[in-house]
Amino acid sequence: MKLKVIVGSLAFLLSASAMEAQEKVIDLKFVQTSDMHGNYFPYSFTLQKDWIGSMARVAAFVKKERQHYGENLVLMDNGDILQGQPSSYYYNYIDTVSTHVCADMMNYMGYNVGNMGNHDVETGHNVYDRWINECNFPVLGANIIRTSDGEPYLPPYTIMKRSGIKIAILGLITPAIPAWLSENLWHGLRFDDMEESARKWMKVIRDKERPDIVIGLFHAGQESMMIGGKYKENASLDVARNVPGFDIVMIGHDHIADCKKIANVKGDSVLIIDPANNAELVSNVTVKVKVKHGRVRDMEVKGELTDMNAFTPCPDFMAKFSPQFTALNEFVSKRIGYFTKTISSWEAYLGPSAFVDLIHELQLEISGAEISFTAPLSFDAKINKGDVRVGDMFNLYKYENMLYTMMLSGKEIKNYLEESYYWWTNQMKSPWDHLLWLNDNFSGHDDRSTFKNYSFNFDSAAGIIYTVDVTKPKGSKITIVSMANGKPFSMDKMYKVALNSYRGNGGGELLTKGAGLTAEDLTKRLVSSTDKDLRYYLMQYIDEKDTIVPKALHQWKFIPEEWTVPAAKRDGRLLFNRE
């Protein structure tokens, strides 16, 4: 009897052991950052105070998660990491000898893969090529193609194994870059359609690599649209739905946090996840893989967005990069001049402002143009009266745009402004309406959740006297009275116009949809471009003059004033708590 029990027990143990050998569960973790925009330290070098999000907080989160997942944690970045803060600018253009602080930090944190974003391309070949070469991991770009031979400029995808599970990650970027950036920044390259590229490389990945998990790392948002009549922008959802094979699609670019599942054309579930910007959130995806007889039999995918502001910046990270922090602080603290009054960007949404008109004056002076176009680039930025420092310039001018000079007719200038103010202002039906065109559920906390349209497209003009009738529909809002010097303005005359390179390449479509120019027209109309960004010239301008007396030029106004003046005060109180 005892013998039977022993034999039975051995049989059970052998059977259990065999089952264990045949079936096991593997837990994988995928962490995505995106649109960090130079927010490496938990400190704003622009505002010179402690700041939200940051790579330092991500480092603390990843360190904690690796204690559980070890090598089964895959850390990835989805682009727009090289632009937006003095920390990136300094290592892009000032200290070009040291290892780029971004590459240094990402290597230290053990990033496994990166992807290119449009603002990374905006830094120019010298910057992004250097950064890519310094990264100890692949930076992807399946639809970034060399024009010389038609081959990908960067690896289209990467393959990695974790606990025997084969993972493929395909990287794509929005192809609309030629509509925003001057060709000298991406010379020798083209940007192919995302969906066509995904179909091509999915076939290669499936046939050649035979992975267990396929992840899309797409620097593009969700709401697809055509830009410049030929570039499909924000096509991530289209790709996820129409190109079967993706298990997870990590997206970015649009700064809109989201986490959801959709069905592709075959009915398979695809997780879509976007951590917005500034490393305030990360995409936190857990994949539970069931393996039997050495093959994946089942997979459970769960995603969530994890708040990095709940984490204390990693002390080891901060200690490691303290020399870079010191160098950056010295850079932004350098005095360049003096302002006799405080200027604020919020005023620019409600009428002429000293904030925007300072940029107008600079653009006119540098270019020798007759007319200037520019928009407020920050929702609620301020430069205080007193000494002005390098860091303040990142508040005044947010992007690394060049200054273009172009030839436009009077009619094109009017139509350009019609498009701008259509996106900017509400068509008022009564004195109690909003002056500004606001989202239905506006927050008053930032431009993207407050305004119906992107505020970086709210261009005003200097050099001409004009009115904006907010009771009229698009096409009838703008009346140009004269040139600012009192001379007549003619719809048929060609004028020399100063504007930033983003706009001059078709960005925001004010020149294309508004003025009616084609992409080919834009190239022909270009007279000149600066070789350095506008912020550089702003710093030079202030440094040379030392004392700046900021003032609104008052060359345009909203009408009828009996409606618009009270409406501006109401909207100022509502959105900015000011009037």
Side-chain angles (χ1 to χ4, degrees):
M1 187 68 177
K2 287 185 177 178
L3 181 61
K4 287 184 179 179
V5 172
I6 292 169
V7 170
S9 297
L10 284 170
F12 175 79
L13 290 169
L14 288 169
S15 173
S17 177
M19 287 180 64
E20 187 177 328
Q22 291 172 6
E23 184 174 328
K24 60 180 177 179
V25 176
I26 297 166
D27 289 325
L28 303 172
K29 175 70 72 176
F30 298 96
V31 176
Q32 175 212 10
T33 54
S34 189
D35 298 87
M36 208 174 299
H37 287 287
N39 198 25
Y40 311 143
F41 291 102
Y43 185 81
S44 170
F45 291 97
T46 300
L47 302 175
Q48 295 193 291
K49 66 179 186 179
D50 291 341
W51 199 236
I52 53 177
S54 81
M55 199 184 292
R57 288 191 169 91
V58 177
F61 170 73
V62 170
K63 187 175 183 179
K64 173 179 169 289
E65 290 294 298
R66 281 203 178 115
Q67 290 173 1
H68 176 71
Y69 289 94
E71 289 299 310
N72 281 0
L73 186 148
V74 176
L75 180 58
M76 55 187 75
D77 182 77
N78 200 7
D80 277 7
I81 198 169
L82 293 179
Q83 176 276 336
Q85 275 265 357
S87 47
S88 49
Y89 185 89
Y90 181 78
Y91 285 95
N92 287 348
Y93 307 112
I94 309 300
D95 182 356
T96 58
V97 177
S98 302
T99 299
H100 197 294
V101 71
C102 181
D104 209 357
M105 288 174 167
M106 295 177 85
N107 292 337
Y108 173 79
M109 288 173 61
Y111 270 83
N112 301 106
V113 62
N115 193 38
M116 285 290 282
N118 55 295
H119 283 293
D120 302 322
V121 176
E122 185 181 21
T123 64
H125 265 292
N126 288 342
V127 176
Y128 58 77
D129 287 344
R130 167 182 154 227
W131 170 70
I132 288 166
N133 289 331
E134 290 174 347
C135 288
N136 296 337
F137 51 86
V139 177
L140 307 180
N143 59 333
I144 304 176
I145 309 300
R146 280 194 304 267
T147 54
S148 60
D149 59 8
E151 293 297 316
Y153 185 69
L154 297 169
Y157 65 89
T158 188
I159 299 290
M160 60 186 72
K161 278 194 173 183
R162 296 293 187 271
S163 297
I165 304 300
K166 195 172 188 180
I167 304 157
I169 302 173
L170 175 70
L172 295 169
I173 188 173
T174 172
I177 285 164
W180 303 324
L181 304 178
S182 56
E183 190 174 348
N184 66 298
L185 300 173
W186 47 270
H187 63 84
L189 304 176
R190 71 170 195 261
F191 302 88
D192 286 355
D193 180 78
M194 286 179 60
E195 192 169 327
E196 290 175 7
S197 298
R199 287 186 191 282
K200 171 185 173 179
W201 290 106
M202 180 62 79
K203 185 175 184 343
V204 172
I205 289 168
R206 285 301 188 194
D207 293 349
K208 179 183 175 183
E209 308 292 353
R210 299 185 179 278
D212 300 304
I213 300 172
V214 179
I215 298 174
L217 193 59
F218 300 166
H219 191 83
Q222 298 188 46
E223 300 299 326
S224 65
M225 65 186 84
M226 294 303 292
I227 298 289
K230 58 181 177 179
Y231 304 109
K232 196 172 187 183
E233 160 77 331
N234 288 335
S236 290
L237 283 190
D238 290 350
V239 176
R241 285 195 186 103
N242 300 333
V243 182
F246 292 103
D247 299 293
I248 305 164
V249 170
M250 308 276 197
I251 67 176
H253 180 57
D254 59 3
H255 295 197
I256 300 173
D258 202 2
C259 180
K260 62 190 176 187
K261 288 189 177 180
I262 65 167
N264 66 20
V265 290
K266 285 192 172 181
D268 298 323
S269 176
V270 184
L271 176 69
I272 307 293
I273 191 162
D274 182 339
N277 59 308
N278 277 329
E280 286 195 72
L281 301 171
V282 299
S283 301
N284 183 2
V285 178
T286 304
V287 179
K288 192 178 290 290
V289 184
K290 291 182 181 178
V291 178
K292 190 172 184 179
H293 300 302
R295 296 183 63 187
V296 172
R297 297 299 184 186
D298 191 26
M299 188 165 61
E300 182 183 6
V301 179
K302 291 183 178 180
E304 65 179 9
L305 295 170
T306 302
D307 186 359
M308 292 297 97
N309 291 318
F311 290 82
T312 301
C314 176
D316 293 339
F317 179 99
M318 295 301 293
K320 163 77 174 171
F321 296 104
S322 62
Q324 290 91 330
F325 185 94
T326 300
L328 285 164
N329 218 18
E330 289 174 354
F331 170 63
V332 298
S333 299
K334 180 186 175 186
R335 181 193 181 277
I336 55 173
Y338 182 87
F339 277 14
T340 61
K341 64 176 284 188
T342 297
I343 60 173
S344 303
S345 63
W346 69 269
E347 297 171 318
Y349 299 110
L350 304 169
S353 72
F355 192 97
V356 161
D357 285 349
L358 175 61
I359 300 169
H360 277 311
E361 288 186 288
L362 174 76
Q363 291 189 163
L364 291 169
E365 180 166 316
I366 292 173
S367 65
E370 299 157 280
I371 295 167
S372 167
F373 290 141
T374 196
L377 300 181
S378 298
F379 181 67
D380 191 10
K382 180 172 69 171
I383 300 177
N384 288 317
K385 172 184 175 180
D387 286 339
V388 176
R389 306 188 184 280
V390 167
D392 292 317
M393 294 299 97
F394 293 82
N395 243 341
L396 183 62
Y397 206 89
K398 193 173 180 180
Y399 302 108
E400 277 81 70
N401 299 141
M402 308 301 176
L403 178 62
Y404 275 14
T405 308
M406 303 180 75
M407 298 302 297
L408 299 177
S409 72
K411 184 179 180 181
E412 289 163 349
I413 288 165
K414 179 188 184 295
N415 290 340
Y416 179 110
L417 291 171
E418 289 281 1
E419 191 76 14
S420 173
Y421 284 96
Y422 166 71
W423 291 348
W424 179 347
T425 58
N426 182 34
Q427 187 178 349
M428 295 181 71
K429 306 292 186 185
S430 82
W432 310 112
D433 288 344
H434 289 294
L435 172 64
L436 305 176
W437 194 3
L438 305 175
N439 272 321
D440 293 336
N441 297 310
F442 63 87
S443 69
H445 295 135
D446 60 73
D447 55 345
R448 298 201 181 202
S449 60
T450 296
F451 299 119
K452 190 73 173 177
N453 299 296
Y454 292 129
S455 63
F456 54 71
N457 290 325
F458 297 175
D459 272 25
S460 62
I464 53 175
I465 306 298
Y466 65 100
T467 60
V468 183
D469 190 337
V470 296
T471 67
K472 299 288 179 65
K474 178 183 176 181
S476 305
K477 288 179 178 289
I478 307 299
T479 300
I480 301 176
V481 179
S482 69
M483 299 298 292
N485 60 10
K487 291 183 178 179
F489 178 87
S490 170
M491 291 292 177
D492 299 321
K493 183 178 175 180
M494 298 298 290
Y495 294 94
K496 197 174 178 183
V497 179
L499 69 178
N500 69 48
S501 54
Y502 170 81
R503 192 71 77 231
N505 286 304
E509 300 191 295
L510 298 183
L511 282 170
T512 50
K513 277 187 180 178
L517 302 180
T518 66
E520 292 72 25
D521 290 333
L522 298 182
T523 304
K524 293 174 185 175
R525 300 294 187 88
L526 182 63
V527 175
S528 64
S529 169
T530 58
D531 59 351
K532 291 184 172 63
D533 64 279
L534 260 166
R535 193 187 299 117
Y536 169 85
Y537 292 102
L538 280 165
M539 289 191 283
Q540 294 288 105
Y541 178 81
I542 294 167
D543 188 43
E544 287 171 10
K545 293 190 177 293
D546 188 67
T547 299
I548 301 292
V549 183
K551 61 184 184 300
L553 297 174
H554 294 293
Q555 294 180 353
W556 66 274
K557 63 182 176 181
F558 291 124
I559 60 170
E561 290 183 275
E562 61 269 25
W563 286 19
T564 61
V565 172
K569 288 182 178 180
R570 289 196 305 272
D571 283 357
R573 283 195 300 268
L574 185 66
L575 301 181
F576 307 104
N577 197 29
R578 303 178 185 94
E579 60 180 86

